[in-house]
Amino acid sequence: MNLEPGKKIYFASDQHFGAPNPAESKKRETHFIQWLDEIKNDCQILYLVGDLFDFWFEYKTVAPRGHVRLLGKLAELSDSGIKIHFFTGNHDMWVFDYLPEEIGMELHHEPIEKEYNGKQFYIAHGDGLGPGDHGYKFIKKVFRNKLCQWLFARLHPNFGIGLANYFSRSSRAATGDNDKTYLGEENEWLAIYAKEKLQEKHYDYFVFGHRHLPLDLTVGENSRYINLGDWISDFTYAIFDGSKLTLEEYPL
């Protein structure tokens, strides 16, 4: 697929809206909406690459409250013809059909491959990829299990969403600033994963989130790994202008 003249693709991830509390989250959400307003004139495709929300679970007739302005802005962009891709992350993996139907965006639970202007992209949130982290990989399988999702949906939303928010906060507290620490290319598991994928096929760009750390690393001949950082402290995103992919910042 080739982009229209003057149009671009934008990538952003790990906004974690809802955290650490409604007041602080709203400041960041307002900032993100301002960014969406600024890019809408030259944006052809928008990738939201996971953890847009700190927690999200859709019951059959109930969705989490809040984020009205954000959802309205995304619907506006979609209605204007901008293609929106939404990846579930490890905090909002329980997005089902409500947001795709209401906003008109395409939902992804797994990595995808795309070609734009002759460039090969491999795009994923990044959780559970690469070596190690076997405990989380097991938990992810449990959370993605249809029976487990059905059982959770039997809980009253006030209790279920409250419980999930508690565990989400506990997870962030346990991780602390570890996600912001660069481990070195030989220990960055998503860089290792990218190099393994290059043994199978050439990709020009690997675009991941999850690490909360903006990165632009060479992982092979004419291949780069871009980590999108977050919208908690870095406020970073990537732009593909039809010929090159760059990592940019939109300071709060």
Side-chain angles (χ1 to χ4, degrees):
M1 173 183 175
N2 289 331
L3 297 181
E4 298 171 12
K7 292 293 186 177
K8 301 174 182 178
I9 303 175
Y10 289 84
F11 303 82
S13 74
D14 293 273
Q15 293 80 9
H16 287 268
F17 292 132
N21 56 62
E24 291 298 314
S25 174
K26 188 174 181 180
K27 293 178 184 177
R28 298 186 298 104
E29 190 172 324
T30 300
H31 185 60
F32 186 69
I33 292 169
Q34 180 180 327
W35 176 74
L36 292 174
D37 256 333
E38 290 194 11
I39 71 170
K40 65 183 180 183
N41 291 328
D42 66 1
C43 178
Q44 182 174 335
I45 304 171
L46 172 64
Y47 279 92
L48 301 173
V49 193
D51 285 351
L52 180 66
F53 305 107
D54 199 55
F55 173 74
W56 186 277
F57 185 92
E58 294 172 18
Y59 291 81
K60 188 173 183 179
T61 57
V62 176
R65 65 185 291 172
H67 315 298
V68 174
R69 293 171 181 81
L70 171 64
L71 297 178
K73 179 56 64 177
L74 292 175
E76 175 192 326
L77 297 186
S78 179
D79 290 346
S80 74
I82 294 172
K83 174 69 175 179
I84 301 177
H85 293 267
F86 185 103
F87 286 73
T88 54
N90 49 305
H91 280 256
D92 53 11
M93 67 174 67
W94 288 336
V95 172
F96 302 126
D97 59 359
Y98 171 66
L99 294 181
E101 290 179 1
E102 288 296 315
I103 295 176
M105 58 191 185
E106 186 171 344
L107 183 65
H108 304 286
H109 295 291
E110 302 292 342
I112 65 170
E113 301 177 15
K114 291 287 185 178
E115 180 180 333
Y116 297 112
N117 290 37
K119 300 292 187 181
Q120 300 292 332
F121 287 76
Y122 189 93
I123 310 164
H125 179 59
D127 60 315
L129 302 181
D133 205 7
H134 300 294
Y136 170 71
K137 290 176 181 177
F138 173 77
I139 292 173
K140 183 177 180 179
K141 289 182 179 179
V142 173
F143 286 168
R144 293 286 297 276
N145 181 273
K146 296 293 185 181
L147 175 60
C148 293
Q149 292 172 0
W150 183 87
L151 290 171
F152 187 88
R154 308 280 71 79
L155 300 175
H156 189 281
N158 286 351
F159 177 74
I161 292 176
L163 180 66
N165 279 329
Y166 168 78
F167 281 114
S168 179
R169 290 192 298 269
S170 299
S171 173
R172 284 197 312 278
T175 303
D177 293 330
N178 292 342
D179 284 340
K180 308 297 290 184
T181 303
Y182 178 55
L183 303 176
E185 187 176 334
E186 67 281 0
N187 295 315
E188 284 287 341
W189 61 88
L190 289 175
I192 296 171
Y193 177 79
K195 292 176 181 179
E196 291 173 348
K197 295 297 292 182
L198 286 172
Q199 301 301 312
E200 306 168 7
K201 179 181 175 180
H202 172 75
Y203 299 94
D204 295 280
Y205 301 112
F206 293 88
V207 182
F208 298 132
H210 187 55
R211 281 287 281 117
H212 290 227
L213 180 65
L215 291 172
D216 184 348
L217 301 176
T218 299
V219 289
E221 186 176 357
N222 299 318
S223 296
R224 287 164 51 208
Y225 154 45
I226 304 290
N227 197 284
L228 297 168
D230 65 25
W231 283 71
I232 299 172
S233 59
D234 295 311
F235 305 98
T236 45
Y237 62 96
I239 310 175
F240 179 65
D241 64 2
S243 61
K244 63 183 184 299
L245 184 68
T246 57
L247 197 58
E248 307 285 345
E249 183 182 5
Y250 191 72
L252 182 64

